[in-house]
Amino acid sequence: ELHFGDHTSDIEDPVVLSVEFELIKDQPAGIVKRLRRAWINRKATQPFTFQAAVQMFKNPRGERAALLIDRAGLVKSRVGAAEISERNGNWLVAQPGATAHDVLQLIDQVQNRVRETSGVLLERELTVW
């Protein structure tokens, strides 16, 4: 009865005390096929070939952060050795030599530019402490 998505659910309270799942049996070949399809999709859209990559922002309701970043013209933008992935605009790639300052400055620039161009304030995916 509940619906879940990236960082969203129908649950209003943040605590779940118990869960009961109803699983559907499937043939191993069908499961492998779905897993391969998901793996191929991720490989095509996310920069996993880099050692240090992070998804910067949560997807706003009804939008995709990567698309907003692309529309703002920020793909391949960089600060120091931190740059926006050309494969997926919502991924920041820390090239060798990137500093925390580079990463945080680039994230702030992306957040500000997207707000200027689309009016959407992106919420950070990663927590900085």
Side-chain angles (χ1 to χ4, degrees), residues 96-108:
T99 65
H101 183 264
D102 295 342
V103 169
L104 294 174
Q105 189 173 356
L106 184 54
I107 289 172
D108 286 342

Side-chain angles (χ1 to χ4, degrees), residues 66-126:
L67 187 57
L68 293 169
I69 294 165
D70 290 348
R71 286 183 189 154
L74 295 166
V75 173
K76 294 192 80 174
S77 295
R78 66 183 306 137
V79 171
E83 69 179 345
I84 305 302
S85 170
E86 64 183 309
R87 184 174 280 182
N88 183 321
N90 195 23
W91 283 81
L92 183 145
V93 177
Q95 301 288 358
T99 65
H101 183 264
D102 295 342
V103 169
L104 294 174
Q105 189 173 356
L106 184 54
I107 289 172
D108 286 342
Q109 285 180 8
V110 169
Q111 194 173 36
N112 291 332
R113 180 75 178 136
V114 167
R115 185 176 34 208
E116 289 170 7
T117 60
S118 68
V120 175
L121 177 60
L122 294 173
E123 182 182 350
R124 285 186 184 180
E125 174 78 33
L126 64 125

Side-chain angles (χ1 to χ4, degrees), residues 1 19-27 31 34:
E1 296 176 15
V19 176
E20 185 176 317
F21 292 98
E22 182 178 325
L23 303 177
I24 300 169
K25 287 187 176 187
D26 196 357
Q27 296 297 316
I31 295 169
R34 284 194 306 278

